[in-house]
Amino acid sequence: MSSTINTGSKSDQSDASGKLDLRGASGGGMFDYAPAPESVKAPIADTYGLFINGEFVDPSSGDRFETLNPSNEETLSMISSASVSDVDAAVQAARDALPEWSGLPGSVRGKYLYRIARRIQERARELAVLETLDGGKPIKESRDIDIPLAAAHFFYHAGWADKLEYAFPGKTPEPVGVCGQIIPWNFPFLMAAWKIAPALACGNTIVLKPAETTSLTALRLAEICQEVGLPKGVVNIVTGAGETGSALVDHPDVDKIAFTGSTGVGKMIAKATAPTNKRLTLELGGKSANIIFEDASIDQAVEGIVEGIYFNQGHVCCAGSRVFVQESVLDTVINKLGDRLASLRVGDPMDKNTDLGAINSKEQLGTINRYLETGTSEGATRHDVNPCEVPEKGYWCKPCFFTGVQPSHAIAREEIFGPVLAVMSFRTPDEALSRANNTPYGLAAGVWTDKGSKIFDMASKLDAGVVWLNTYNKFDPASPFGGFKESGFGREGGRHGLAAYLK
Ligand code: NAP
Ligand code: MG
């Protein structure tokens, strides 16, 4: 790692007079909030190496790529691009570390996991700031959700490390071996924790590849591995683009691939690993449905819809991107949704009042904008009711929703991965079910009603890995998460998630 550090001040959106530019965060509506910029700074090095065998090393090719702050397009740092031979070195380090790590008593592995969890808590504010600078999500989300949940995953799996034989009675649990783990940019640190914690608890060693636009917090996790004295080679982190990921997938000495990302890349990985002995789990895309019955608490349901689709700018695999509302309450829901949308504060992700931050990358913004055009050209009506003025620089998309959506419209079928909601209606529970299930995906669903019988009936018939009832987007390390159909296979979290890392 280079010795020069900046204090993160490059990413402050201050003008020459030193005043913060928070135009986007002023919301509008009934009253204005005073700016509340996060004051903690996260030091960022000018360049980062690859984390191989417990050390940061330069990439063999010397190639580096920049990582940006998507809210102002400024360069934060230069990240190393791992070549085939770097990936090979990382896999070799993980292979060499395997006998010692898998041979440790579970209670000792557990101690390392507890140490990592506590160190994450100690460095939580810095990690949250870094996640927000690098990825664009609001600081209140990285601070209150991403980082605490990541620590919780390490705590939870620390507890399992010496109890694996109780998790699977009558079996002798053995680690799978060297695990290649590839993660996306929407929850960079949390996804790293989801992947690393169970694998370590079960005695595996790891080569992790973060997404190109959001490597910084994974590299901080590498520092934490050093700080807690994790044996060398147990966790290796190789940064780079898709080619680095496919070098990991194709490496003959990797025993398992765990992938979270798009369905397209997931299918390619499934093909590449099919003729090999590699194990595979895939957590892919979604087009999840929120179903609102007329007997629901409508205010609560509208809050849940908003949480379901506008959380993290809609960069959520299980986002409730389709909403089905019972016809008798459709107008009420649309009016309340419009009012709520108008009060969301879009702008500087580092402001503690911000509800929606920046879109993660220029490419993703382009994808979202294409869907917005297609939605209108296919005949749906777009409701753009948010009054925020977004900054000129950076990648921004204000939250919106469409009505008049037909099941055949692209915005009702395809994953947009942005703050864009398709609102549709239904008359009977059966119609709601068949329309909600009419998708190649099957990741999550939400049901809103005050009738317990309806809740259980719907939950048992929805083709989705997770069904939230009168709530949405709630996560817990003890609860397995994963999809059906084209949303992938395998579970992460809970006892089911451990099984994926054991023979
Ligand atoms: P992506 O393009 O599939 O990328 C995911 C990861 O795979 C990144 O690290 C990416 O590297 C890498 N990659 C790209 N091409 C590869 C290849 N040929 N071989 C191996 N690795 C490759 O997905 P994304 O656009 O970053 O993420 C958004 C998607 O993830 C959405 O579809 C979302 O639904 C899904 N997601 C699912 C879950 C879940 O739990 N089911 C959770 C979060 C996200 P680069 O970044 O360098 O391209
Ligand atoms: Mg970035």
Side-chain angles (χ1 to χ4, degrees):
M1 204 190 317
S2 120
S3 55
T4 42
I5 57 173
N6 71 51
T7 59
S9 59
K10 271 197 254 176
S11 49
D12 281 352
Q13 300 191 330
S14 29
D15 62 19
S17 67
K19 261 174 45 189
L20 282 171
D21 176 4
L22 295 169
R23 273 165 303 168
S26 63
M30 274 195 303
F31 46 81
D32 272 340
Y33 289 61
E38 168 64 60
S39 56
V40 171
K41 301 277 183 231
I44 300 173
D46 288 345
T47 63
Y48 283 89
L50 305 167
F51 186 63
I52 298 177
N53 203 27
E55 312 286 344
F56 284 94
V57 296
D58 286 333
S60 58
S61 64
D63 290 348
R64 287 197 160 84
F65 58 93
E66 60 178 5
T67 193
L68 298 178
N69 176 342
S71 75
N72 59 17
E73 301 172 52
E74 282 175 13
T75 303
L76 292 170
S77 183
M78 297 301 289
I79 305 293
S80 293
S81 183
S83 63
V84 172
S85 70
D86 296 320
V87 170
D88 184 49
V91 172
Q92 189 59 50
R95 176 62 61 194
D96 293 345
L98 185 64
E100 190 196 325
W101 180 250
S102 60
L104 288 176
S107 57
V108 177
R109 287 201 308 272
K111 276 186 203 166
Y112 284 108
L113 287 165
Y114 278 121
R115 278 189 213 161
I116 295 174
R118 284 195 298 266
R119 198 68 190 122
I120 291 172
Q121 288 183 322
E122 283 162 10
R123 297 182 69 169
R125 269 317 250 285
E126 171 205 344
L127 287 164
V129 166
L130 211 55
E131 197 74 315
T132 286
L133 288 175
D134 202 13
K137 64 173 63 194
I139 186 70
K140 71 176 178 190
E141 288 178 9
S142 44
R143 181 195 64 198
D144 297 346
I145 297 166
D146 296 62
I147 308 301
L149 260 179
H153 270 268
F154 279 99
F155 277 120
Y156 174 80
H157 288 96
W160 271 126
D162 61 348
K163 300 177 195 69
L164 297 174
E165 58 271 38
Y166 302 102
F168 306 99
K171 305 254 166 77
T172 311
E174 274 180 54
V176 172
V178 174
C179 300
Q181 307 183 319
I182 302 171
I183 55 174
W185 43 260
N186 56 346
F187 293 91
F189 194 71
L190 182 59
M191 287 299 120
W194 273 33
K195 295 270 182 287
I196 292 176
L200 291 187
C202 294
N204 302 278
T205 57
I206 292 164
V207 180
L208 176 92
K209 193 204 89 71
E212 217 173 325
T213 55
T214 53
S215 304
L216 289 179
T217 47
L219 293 164
R220 275 302 204 274
L221 191 55
E223 282 177 31
I224 290 177
C225 291
Q226 285 180 324
E227 287 167 359
V228 305
L230 191 74
K232 289 178 183 229
V234 171
V235 170
N236 304 275
I237 297 181
V238 288
T239 46
E243 298 77 54
T244 304
S246 63
L248 190 54
V249 169
D250 294 338
H251 198 289
D253 204 25
V254 168
D255 298 303
K256 175 195 162 85
I257 294 290
F259 173 80
T260 296
S262 60
T263 296
V265 174
K267 284 182 179 174
M268 281 159 56
I269 294 179
K271 267 189 204 150
T273 52
T276 72
N277 278 331
K278 287 187 186 112
R279 288 165 185 245
L280 179 64
T281 45
L282 296 175
E283 303 276 3
L284 308 175
K287 192 73 188 175
S288 300
N290 243 322
I291 301 170
I292 321 282
F293 286 100
E294 60 190 0
D295 56 27
S297 157
I298 299 297
D299 286 332
Q300 198 192 343
V302 168
E303 211 47 43
I305 299 174
V306 168
E307 172 76 14
I309 182 67
Y310 304 122
F311 171 53
N312 195 19
Q313 299 77 244
H315 298 335
V316 184
C317 50
C318 49
S321 51
R322 295 180 297 153
V323 164
F324 296 99
V325 186
Q326 199 152 16
E327 220 169 58
S328 53
V329 291
L330 181 64
D331 289 345
T332 313
V333 167
I334 288 175
N335 287 332
K336 284 179 185 276
L337 182 62
D339 288 347
R340 186 66 181 91
L341 214 64
S343 74
L344 289 175
R345 306 162 66 76
V346 188
D348 183 5
M350 289 292 273
D351 191 290
K352 293 172 197 166
N353 292 321
T354 293
D355 296 309
L356 276 84
I359 298 302
N360 183 267
S361 65
K362 196 175 179 180
E363 292 68 38
Q364 186 58 27
L365 181 58
T367 304
I368 297 169
N369 283 337
R370 280 194 294 282
Y371 277 109
L372 292 178
E373 281 163 25
T374 312
T376 312
S377 68
E378 288 191 329
T381 307
R382 179 166 141 202
H383 301 264
D384 251 328
V385 293
N386 187 276
C388 291
E389 260 183 64
V390 295
E392 272 156 34
K393 284 208 113 181
Y395 314 128
W396 303 98
C397 177
K398 294 207 282 179
C400 68
F401 65 92
F402 280 95
T403 54
V405 182
Q406 299 300 321
S408 58
H409 289 171
I411 55 167
R413 289 184 292 111
E414 296 170 22
E415 184 178 48
I416 302 173
F417 226 56
V420 182
L421 175 67
V423 180
M424 293 166 274
S425 66
F426 68 92
R427 290 185 182 162
T428 64
D430 281 346
E431 188 190 351
L433 262 177
S434 66
R435 296 192 65 184
N437 284 339
N438 181 19
T439 165
Y441 295 110
L443 197 50
V447 179
W448 299 83
T449 166
D450 76 347
K451 300 283 179 294
S453 54
K454 226 184 256 171
I455 283 177
F456 289 114
D457 186 49
M458 295 296 287
S460 64
K461 292 175 183 162
L462 281 162
D463 296 334
V466 181
V467 183
W468 282 292
L469 304 165
N470 292 327
T471 189
Y472 206 87
N473 269 346
K474 294 287 176 286
F475 304 94
D476 189 286
S479 176
F481 183 89
F484 283 100
K485 302 194 278 186
E486 293 203 8
S487 292
F489 50 80
R491 294 292 177 264
E492 293 188 305
R495 200 173 59 88
H496 301 71
L498 290 175
Y501 286 98
L502 290 169
K503 280 186 200 158

